[in-house]
Amino acid sequence: MSDFIAVIPARYASTRLPAKPLADIAGKPMVVRVAERAAQSGASAVWVAADDERIITAVKEHGYQALLTASHHTSGTDRLAEVTDMLSLDDDTIVVNVQGDEPLIDPALIHAVARELRLHPEAVMATACHAIHDYATLTNPNVVKLVMDAEGYALYFSRAPIPWPRDAFAAGQSLPDGLPVFRHIGLYAYRAGFLRQYAGLTPAPIERFESLEQLRVLWHGHKISVAVSELPAQPGVDTAEDLAMVRQLWV
């Protein structure tokens, strides 16, 4: 029997792509496509946590479970925290936050992140990454990088190139061999008990400047374990152009 559940936070309003969760992908709403992937991960349950009845209706029409959550949440993590109470989850229950705009996500990656947290009881969260092999990705501020310690726990996340290969860059090299540089994959597993604590954590200055909420966890001294994937994550949907690309890939 599986020892984790998958929760898909979905917000109706989107600046760049209004009603994004309901965008059609091959005849089904995007959030339903995500739920289908999550259901293949081995999760014992899949829930969509939405802020709008239109999303709830669409999800249930396709046979998946959905919860109407508050509209004031500023992040998916906050929405998951509400779900832990709505479902009365035990503190040790592992909850995987599957982004509602990732219709191509690999179900095996969802399972891997849940397993990563289960195998590391010292961590309150787990996430994933994959190796970077080109200079353009390393220096792209829209790509989040991370550095890990010897045991595979996250040391830091940044939009800047980290680690910085000082001597190689000074010598004009683009990406030196052996540089341990990884791209963060925005998939998270939490223990329900920590989700309940998260809302009470003071936002961190580094979180605000980097615009990366996971830095709040590190700033308060908690551990995040990282699963390294051999393959890069599939593209998500932020814009109309992204949606068009995913529709083409689906065919």
Side-chain angles (χ1 to χ4, degrees), residues 135 138-139 161-176 179:
Y135 179 82
L138 173 63
T139 55
I162 55 171
W164 180 266
R166 185 196 64 175
D167 295 341
F169 279 1
Q173 296 182 38
S174 58
L175 198 64
L179 182 68

Side-chain angles (χ1 to χ4, degrees), residues 39-57:
Q40 297 170 26
S41 70
S44 60
V46 176
W47 289 89
V48 172
D51 66 349
D52 193 286
E53 286 284 3
R54 287 167 286 190
I55 300 173
I56 301 294
T57 299

Side-chain angles (χ1 to χ4, degrees), residues 80-189:
L80 260 68
E82 182 181 358
V83 169
T84 62
D85 290 332
M86 294 177 75
L87 296 178
S88 299
L89 298 178
D90 292 339
D91 283 350
D92 290 335
T93 302
I94 292 177
V95 182
V96 180
N97 180 348
V98 182
Q99 302 291 343
D101 55 7
E102 300 278 353
L104 298 176
I105 191 167
D106 184 353
L109 187 60
I110 299 172
H111 187 276
V113 170
R115 180 176 183 272
E116 181 74 18
L117 185 56
R118 185 178 72 250
L119 293 176
H120 295 86
E122 303 88 351
V124 297
M125 284 174 56
T127 190
C129 71
H130 66 82
I132 290 175
H133 300 291
D134 63 278
Y135 179 82
T137 301
L138 173 63
T139 55
N140 183 348
N142 294 317
V143 172
V144 178
K145 278 72 66 172
L146 67 86
V147 172
M148 293 173 283
D149 68 13
E151 296 182 342
Y153 294 103
L155 288 172
Y156 194 70
F157 298 82
S158 182
R159 299 182 184 279
I162 55 171
W164 180 266
R166 185 196 64 175
D167 295 341
F169 279 1
Q173 296 182 38
S174 58
L175 198 64
D177 292 338
L179 182 68
V181 60
F182 296 92
R183 178 175 187 162
H184 179 229
I185 299 172
L187 179 67
Y188 300 100

